[in-house]
Amino acid sequence: IQFHFGEHGNYSLWMENLNFSFNNCSLVTTTDPVNSNIPILVAFFVFVGLALMFAVGSRLLSFLSRTGVVRGLVLRINGSMEAERLINSELGSPRIDALVTDNILPSPASASRRLRSLDTFRGISLVIMVFVNYGGGRYWFFRHSSWNGLTVADLVFPWFVFIMGTSIALSINSMLRGGTSRSSLLMKVLWRSTQLFLIGVFIINPNYCLGPLSLDSLRIPGVLQRLAWSYLVVAGLDLLVARGHLDILTNDAWWSPALDILLYWPAWLCVLLLEIVWLCLTFLLPVPGCPTGYLGPGGIGDMGLHANCTGGAAAYIDRWLLGEKHIYQTPSSKVIYATQMPYDPEGVLGSINSVLMAFLGLQAGKILLHYRDVPTNVISRFLIWGLFLGAISAILTECSTDRGFIPVNKNLWSLSYVTTLACFAFVLLVLVYYTIDVKKWWSGAPFYYPGMNSILVYVGHEVFEDYFPFSWRMANSQSHTEHLVQNVVATSLWVFISYILYRKKIFWKI
């Protein structure tokens, strides 16, 4: 029986016994539930109202500053050149100075103005990720899927990996044009990957507050660890093939429409070989006691026939390489499918597909580099890539949740999951690029600010998750309302903190 249970409803299950077997079951609602969607609708309209007020206020201040009203008022109050600087730089639209920001590698001071859309895209992903990690108001669509399928919570991590790849392309190109050697860049890549990995291990093993870490149960895979691996591989590949001077390349040759792919064919070949390795290991590796190529959740899934086969080859490789005690012990599949085996959604095999996701983001960066002077070419290529990847997803999944050759699965980071989320990423990047960098209708605020300080916001929200004011004891923990208020307040605080740090020009770099 499938039934949607509402919040604070009262229900009865009636079973009719005929011939010593239950032939008829029905659910009866004895007390009507409340509408649990009202809190999130109220929160949505509140933030839309705040956004409109901010937009109108910014336009008004900009107009008054141009007409001299605000200029004269501030000069009369302060009477200093600092007030003049404040008027020119802060009351208008935000300026894009050559700051050392959260690109994968810092740009030199002479670098060209950076694209606000990339930081905004990163900020959107990060804000949703923080909100989801704090609980998402306990709404089902802000929780990760138990196995196959997609929710809002499943979108953001791949987008973060994608935009990291885009930043790699722009940063490495900028550094090469500035005269930095490839060997020194490679050392920076190695050092940053190591730092990300170690920070990731630190924050996912929170018993550091209780004393020395227990090496017997230390979890090794994690979000930052996967970012470190993807960054290392993709940045290393780009360093091998990246062009230091794109302005000398011709656009008149017959192959110029595919310039952004053909120039970097060795890197493409390496990524395709990695993907072949993923396919072979996933579908051909023998797993003891399990069907070859099994992609199911195990537990009571598949009628309980493969109870200890959660994740198939992906889980088997993690247990073999890392050990059962060093991977995630309470996966999301445990709630619905009652799985008993540990399974890590950031495991070794799925990291191959995270490289593919970052590399597709790198491709978006190459498009921005090669066609930067013609925004229509950038937009058309983004849309073509989105359509192409969407078509691959439709073929792999047969446009269904559980059927198809390779279902969309965040836990496995399946190939269809990557192509689907990369399709969404290209389309979303088109929207923010067009509205922010082409038409300049939107400054990217407030997402721009956490996007500029992404490492600090991510690590900070993980470390201080259980501390006030990000968390407090709730009077009614059974209601969506209080959960939503707490999670929205916590997420908004991190956006505000990132704004203050942006104004102070404080950026945490690795």
Side-chain angles (χ1 to χ4, degrees), residues 298-321:
I300 62 174
D302 303 304
M303 305 303 294
L305 297 176
H306 314 296
N308 295 324
C309 297
T310 303
Y316 177 66
I317 291 173
D318 286 343
R319 294 194 298 268
W320 176 60
L321 286 177

Side-chain angles (χ1 to χ4, degrees), residues 80-116:
S80 67
M81 292 302 295
E82 178 63 17
E84 179 75 11
R85 185 202 63 79
L86 181 66
I87 291 291
N88 289 332
S89 63
E90 302 296 341
L91 294 183
S93 59
R95 296 170 59 189
I96 311 172
D97 296 324
L99 300 173
V100 179
T101 53
D102 200 23
N103 270 341
I104 297 306
L105 293 173
S107 301
S110 60
S112 60
R113 292 156 63 92
R114 59 191 282 128
L115 295 169
R116 290 183 73 95

Side-chain angles (χ1 to χ4, degrees), residues 47 119-134 156 160 446-451 454 457-458 461 487-488 490-492 494-496 498:
F47 278 103
D119 292 308
T120 303
F121 187 105
R122 186 188 296 111
I124 292 172
S125 304
L126 183 60
V127 168
I128 299 175
M129 187 185 299
V130 170
F131 178 67
V132 165
N133 289 347
Y134 276 141
V156 289
F160 201 87
F447 302 106
Y448 177 71
Y449 308 117
S454 56
V457 172
Y458 181 82
H461 101 276
N487 302 153
V488 167
T491 306
S492 301
W494 283 113
V495 174
F496 180 71
S498 64

